Amino acid sequence: ETGVTQTPRHLVMGMTNKKSLKCEQHLGHNAMYWYKQSAKKPLELMFVYSLEERVENNSVPSRFSPECPNSSHLFLHLHTLQPEDSALYLCASSLDQGNSYEQYFGPGTRLTVT
Amino acid sequence: LAKTTQPISMDSYEGQEVNITCSHNNIATNDYITWYQQFPSQGPRFIIQGYKTKVTNEVASLFIPADRKSSTLSLPRVSLSDTAVYYCLVGDGDTGFQKLVFGTGTRLLVSP
């Protein structure tokens, strides 16, 4: 238990569906992240929020839309996804301390797009 | 982007010490070196972080030479449960923000 929870843990959706992934951290951190991990590929950073402001967006397709309403919650809204978007989506949080890279990850949401 | 190079895989036996070395030639002056462990279908878990010389905690030690272009994660007396993928990360030398750039990691297999 890392103090970062994600729901749902598993999600199957069609290409025309709209769904949202939720992440919540109970660590008092002020930065939150979304990562994507596809089979046999390294983790890819998608979005970074610091103090509820988006500070990084790694050229992610617009069918992924993040939302950070407060420092404890992070959402990833999904619409019109493609089968290649099937992956493990991981949320993480940290204290925004400049050059420290100690992040705490949630268990992930296993997404399958059919 | 900062890049790291690690062995793709390593094998060990229970009770042995395992040392995983990572090279990171493009590390920025103020960046830390961080190691994570990941089990299948789980998020990575922070193990240890250091800036220079040696850092030790309850699970591992991290050795960093003076030029900081490499680092070695040392796991003392590994057990079967240490079988996992280990990632070495450094900051992005260009942006400096907390941008973790994961490589392919080192897959450690511990056998009885």
Side-chain angles (χ1 to χ4, degrees), chain A residues 43-76:
Chain A
L43 276 84
E44 304 169 53
L45 179 64
M46 300 175 72
F47 301 103
V48 181
Y49 278 83
S50 177
L51 298 172
E52 301 143 42
E53 237 184 88
R54 191 191 306 180
V55 296
E56 186 84 14
N57 175 357
N58 276 359
S59 303
V60 178
S62 60
R63 56 185 185 270
F64 296 93
S65 174
E67 179 190 1
C68 187
N70 56 62
S71 59
S72 298
H73 294 86
L74 184 65
F75 295 89
L76 187 62

Side-chain angles (χ1 to χ4, degrees), chain A residues 19-46:
Chain A
K19 296 286 184 183
S20 295
L21 309 184
K22 179 182 176 182
C23 175
E24 185 172 357
Q25 59 97 359
H26 312 276
L27 301 168
H29 289 165
N30 55 9
M32 298 188 77
Y33 312 76
W34 278 117
Y35 289 85
K36 173 185 178 183
Q37 188 170 35
S38 304
K40 298 184 180 180
K41 283 187 177 181
L43 276 84
E44 304 169 53
L45 179 64
M46 300 175 72

Side-chain angles (χ1 to χ4, degrees), chain A residues 4-13 17-24 32-37 46-47 49 63-69 72-79 81 85-92 107-113:
Chain A
V4 180
T5 58
Q6 290 186 243
T7 53
R9 294 294 308 276
H10 300 272
L11 177 63
V12 179
M13 59 185 289
N17 292 157
K18 288 185 181 181
K19 296 286 184 183
S20 295
L21 309 184
K22 179 182 176 182
C23 175
E24 185 172 357
M32 298 188 77
Y33 312 76
W34 278 117
Y35 289 85
K36 173 185 178 183
Q37 188 170 35
M46 300 175 72
F47 301 103
Y49 278 83
R63 56 185 185 270
F64 296 93
S65 174
E67 179 190 1
C68 187
S72 298
H73 294 86
L74 184 65
F75 295 89
L76 187 62
H77 303 298
L78 316 171
H79 65 96
L81 295 192
D85 296 322
S86 298
L88 181 67
Y89 288 84
L90 291 157
C91 172
T109 295
R110 174 69 62 186
L111 173 67
T112 303
V113 181

